[in-house]
Each structure stands twice: as structure tokens, then as C-alpha cells.
Amino acid sequence: MKTKTKENICVKSLQELTIAADLLLDFKEDNKIFAFFGAMGSGKTSFIKAICRKLGVESNVTSPTFSIVNEYLGSGNSVIYHFDFYRIKNELEAFDIGFEDYIYSGNLCFIEWPEKIAGLLPEKYVCIEITEDDRGYRLITFQK
């Protein structure tokens, strides 16, 4: 059976993010790195919150805008890293926080503003693009 390499979803409400999270987790296969692209306010963090809930995270999931990385524990004590590179000025700053250690740890990594560290992304990752249509619905595309 051939696996899908692209999926498109239209999300009309915050409640539907749970369905989108299920679809992404089914879609990901063995991928551990997720790059979330979208404009400010597009819903990247909200979607990551929904995914983390599905993964058993009970702590508060927030955007790591100032800390750059947050660590969460999911079910079975699985570790999840959540990055927000909006504030960094160059890729060297990502090295300074030990980005490579996180990304090659074998743990799930959710990356907001990955375009800021494009040269540091591994070859294999799931690209998630979130856009808004003229009705205010979110269009979410997964691609590997």
C-alpha cells in the first residue's frame, strides 16, 4: 500500500483541530520532526496544543517565544520539544541553544518559524503549512 505524501484539511473551528491532530499523527509514520509554517496568528501554537493533548501532554502548552524551546512530557514519559524561532536573528542562535542535540535526540520536535533555521532542518521532516481562507477557515496542509 502506498503511503500519502500530502494531505489537505479545512478546519472551521478550534474543536476541529482535534480531528486535524489525529490526521497528522496518522500521517506522520516514523517522522519525529515537524516544521509549522504560517503567518503570525495563523494557529500554529493552537494546532501544536491539540497535537500535544493527543500525545498525552497534561501540562500547559504555550508558545516558547521568549524561551525558544519548551519541553513537555507525553504519555509513557515521552519527551516532546516545542521550538519558536520567531525572535532569533540567525541560525547561530539556534546552535547556541543546542538545537542539533534536540533535533537528533529521537524525540518529537515541533518547530514554529522553521524558515528562520532552514539550513539546520534535517533532510526528513513533516512540513505543516497553515493558511487562512477568505471565510476565516484554516487550511492545513501536511507534506513529507
Side-chain angles (χ1 to χ4, degrees), residues 84-103:
D84 183 332
F85 288 115
Y86 180 75
R87 292 181 51 245
I88 71 164
K89 293 175 182 61
N90 56 55
E91 292 178 352
L92 186 58
E93 289 183 49
F95 275 115
D96 289 345
I97 66 155
F99 178 71
E100 284 189 314
D101 293 333
Y102 290 109
I103 210 77

Side-chain angles (χ1 to χ4, degrees), residues 62-78:
T62 60
S63 180
T65 303
F66 295 101
S67 62
I68 301 179
V69 62
N70 286 345
E71 181 178 322
Y72 312 117
L73 281 179
S75 58
N77 287 325
S78 61

